[in-house]
Amino acid sequence: MGPRGPAGSRLVCPRPLVHSGAMSDPDLSLPPNFRLETPAGDTRPRQVCGDCGFIKYDNPKVVVGSVARWQDRLLLCRRAIDPRRGFWTLPAGYLEIGETTAEGARREAVEEATAEIEIDGLLAVYSVPRLSQVQVIYRARLLTPAIAAGPESLEVGLFRWEEIPWAEIAFPSVRWALADFRKVGDAAEFAAQSNPPGEVGNYL
Amino acid sequence: MGPRGPAGSRLVCPRPLVHSGAMSDPDLSLPPNFRLETPAGDTRPRQVCGDCGFIKYDNPKVVVGSVARWQDRLLLCRRAIDPRRGFWTLPAGYLEIGETTAEGARREAVEEATAEIEIDGLLAVYSVPRLSQVQVIYRARLLTPAIAAGPESLEVGLFRWEEIPWAEIAFPSVRWALADFRKVGDAAEFAAQSNPPGEVGNYL
């Protein structure tokens, strides 16, 4: 385990400028009394308060989702929100506090496509270091083909492999997950996949 | 994807009281101008700034680690830090910003046991909702048996299965990972494991 303790901190309402700041940009996120130093027992510089020694850690985020199938069709959702509004993605989103990864994947399917899914395997764990994201993607079955666009989707659809709109896929990791599903298919037991060799989720 | 944007925010050095606050305790972490409300397009209440509408999200944390073996022995580390100082754990810790999960697992093995490991499979993904943790644990091989206690370890050791100090294991998820490793052994291809049925990582 790392040395970090509870990430307690007080927030002050940020200025609009800050809203556009990168998730972990210390310049945008820290007051002047914080400075960069490596705490005792730690291995890299952290933002440390010069007054009381409080250490502010940045943490990667967890995305949970699924490749959910009904017979020979896969569920895709056309994004109603940025980034990549209008492009197709899997039902996926940020894991919530106090939620298991499987619970989160089921919740995202409901939220984005009103889809009830049954998880039947961990398809892949992807890392997207550029975004400091870990994506936990399950293989799942739709319990019914009754799907509808949730508030974050413009439309949703069930696609045969040859019908997938490859030119309009939102993110590289969506392509990875679709390809990994194609690889494992309905196998009862399969190894979880990871990033394709050399790929880290950047746009080409 | 969820609706949250960049988690930009300004920090003010917290008082000592705050240091003992739970990771995501809104009372300890937010100024009075924030209030609990559900943003448009969101599904649950968030802490929202009453002045500018900035939304403060809490996020689960990612722990990465490994069950690393040398011949028929498994690497364990006796914790030099709280929580559970003096108890045995796997080389594991928080994923860093900009790091892949595999990179993080290798780094933790070096930091906690000066151990060089080669990852040879995703052993398990566990959820510990009580701590809002997702644990990504790999199966690995030690490249050499040369291990030594890092700054976060009192001692490190290589244990045969029957030598594992079960009564002095630090966390339930360490038991899960050891049992899951025992289950998959050296199998070339195996499904990633998850929490034992009904277990969420609470102490019994």
Side-chain angles (χ1 to χ4, degrees), chain B residues 158-186:
Chain B
L158 292 169
F159 295 84
R160 290 201 179 87
W161 183 257
E162 61 274 14
E163 299 168 339
I164 292 172
W166 294 107
E168 298 165 37
I169 295 297
F171 308 108
S173 58
V174 173
R175 288 197 185 82
W176 303 345
L178 291 169
D180 285 337
F181 171 79
R182 182 75 163 178
K183 189 189 312 180
V184 303
D186 291 323

Side-chain angles (χ1 to χ4, degrees), chain B:
Chain B
M1 285 296 173
R4 80 194 64 181
S9 64
R10 290 199 188 283
L11 275 179
V12 167
C13 170
R15 300 281 74 74
L17 168 66
V18 177
H19 295 214
S20 64
M23 181 176 69
S24 58
D25 183 332
D27 299 326
L28 291 178
S29 66
L30 289 169
N33 56 320
F34 276 72
R35 59 169 179 264
L36 206 58
E37 63 180 51
T38 302
D42 203 343
T43 58
R44 62 181 63 192
R46 310 287 179 184
Q47 294 290 339
V48 180
C49 174
D51 298 337
C52 77
F54 171 77
I55 304 165
K56 191 262 185 179
Y57 290 97
D58 291 320
N59 297 105
K61 288 196 171 69
V62 180
V63 169
V64 289
S66 61
V67 176
R69 58 206 194 277
W70 176 260
Q71 296 166 357
D72 62 343
R73 299 167 183 268
L74 303 180
L75 172 61
L76 293 176
C77 310
R78 200 154 75 85
R79 292 173 59 81
I81 56 175
D82 285 324
R84 303 288 277 169
R85 187 177 193 279
F87 288 78
W88 292 89
T89 188
L90 295 166
Y94 288 108
L95 184 67
E96 298 285 359
I97 287 284
E99 194 175 48
T100 69
T101 50
E103 288 168 349
R106 285 189 292 265
R107 173 183 50 76
E108 288 290 339
V110 171
E111 287 180 12
E112 304 198 354
T114 70
E116 298 290 340
I117 65 170
E118 174 183 59
I119 287 171
D120 67 346
L122 177 61
L123 179 62
V125 175
Y126 305 122
S127 292
V128 183
R130 172 178 58 91
L131 303 176
S132 287
Q133 277 186 3
V134 173
Q135 302 189 357
V136 178
I137 308 298
Y138 290 94
R139 187 184 66 175
R141 292 183 184 280
L142 287 164
L143 298 181
T144 87
I147 58 172
E152 295 169 25
S153 303
L154 295 171
E155 59 179 311
V156 295
L158 292 169
F159 295 84
R160 290 201 179 87
W161 183 257
E162 61 274 14
E163 299 168 339
I164 292 172
W166 294 107
E168 298 165 37
I169 295 297
F171 308 108
S173 58
V174 173
R175 288 197 185 82
W176 303 345
L178 291 169
D180 285 337
F181 171 79
R182 182 75 163 178
K183 189 189 312 180
V184 303
D186 291 323
E189 177 112 340
F190 60 90
Q193 308 294 302
S194 59
N195 294 39
E199 291 196 42
V200 292
N202 297 337
Y203 294 100
L204 303 176

Side-chain angles (χ1 to χ4, degrees), chain A residues 183-194:
Chain A
K183 189 189 311 180
V184 304
D186 290 324
E189 176 111 342
F190 60 90
Q193 307 295 302
S194 58

